[in-house]
Amino acid sequence: MKKYQRILVAIDIYSEYDHVLQRALSIATNKSHLHLVFVTLPSTYFQPYISDVGGEYVAEIHKQAKLCLQDIATKNHIPTKQVYLPIGNTADEIHTLADEMHADLIVIGTHGRSGVKLLLGSTANSVLHGAKQDVLAVKMA
């Protein structure tokens, strides 16, 4: 089996990410091979009002995500310089980062939805179908 040297782990700090992280840690031969990413959306929509919230709200989410990801990296002995926090479309940013860092594996969580929800798209599905690298979709508990 191929040994992965650069593993990009997509972490959703607002979800149960521990299972995804533990799977990535079990694959890595060295914790320094792991790179963590959380993508902040440039704006957020709240239903039922469908109002666009950006600016300071997005900056606050980004700041909190940075602290959280750095904490996760420190607790798991992953170099904090390997923490990435781009702002944009999640799948696009993961693809771009994976290409730039020459990742050979992307690890991402999936809720395992199917049918209509899969047809409408999910982040994991978008990452899988646009990636040049191997993708491990870890089913969330």
Side-chain angles (χ1 to χ4, degrees):
M1 182 174 179
K2 178 180 177 179
K3 301 264 186 201
Y4 294 107
Q5 299 298 310
R6 289 190 187 95
I7 302 170
L8 182 59
V9 186
I11 298 285
D12 181 355
I13 62 170
Y14 299 107
S15 185
E16 296 293 324
Y17 61 81
D18 195 55
H19 188 62
V20 175
L21 181 60
Q22 292 308 313
R23 184 63 60 93
L25 286 165
S26 73
I27 292 169
T29 55
N30 187 318
K31 292 178 181 182
S32 68
H33 294 167
L34 296 180
H35 301 257
L36 305 179
V37 62
F38 172 82
V39 180
T40 303
L41 297 173
S43 60
T44 302
Y45 296 91
F46 291 102
Q47 291 182 351
Y49 306 106
I50 314 296
S51 60
D52 181 15
V53 177
E56 290 180 28
Y57 181 77
V58 170
E60 183 61 29
I61 289 173
H62 194 259
K63 181 177 141 185
Q64 290 175 7
K66 181 177 183 177
L67 293 172
C68 184
L69 232 53
Q70 287 178 333
D71 185 53
I72 292 167
T74 300
K75 286 180 181 175
N76 290 282
H77 308 288
I78 299 167
T80 55
K81 68 179 182 188
Q82 293 171 195
V83 169
Y84 305 92
L85 294 124
I87 297 173
N89 174 280
T90 305
D92 291 344
E93 294 298 330
I94 290 171
H95 292 147
T96 299
L97 180 57
D99 291 345
E100 287 175 357
M101 62 177 273
H102 305 289
D104 43 21
L105 177 66
I106 300 169
V107 180
I108 190 165
T110 180
H111 295 286
R113 296 184 178 115
S114 60
V116 173
K117 289 186 180 180
L118 180 61
L119 291 174
L120 293 175
S122 69
T123 301
N125 190 44
S126 296
V127 169
L128 174 66
H129 290 290
K132 298 172 188 166
Q133 302 79 4
D134 290 350
V135 177
L136 173 60
V138 179
K139 189 160 183 168
M140 309 276 279

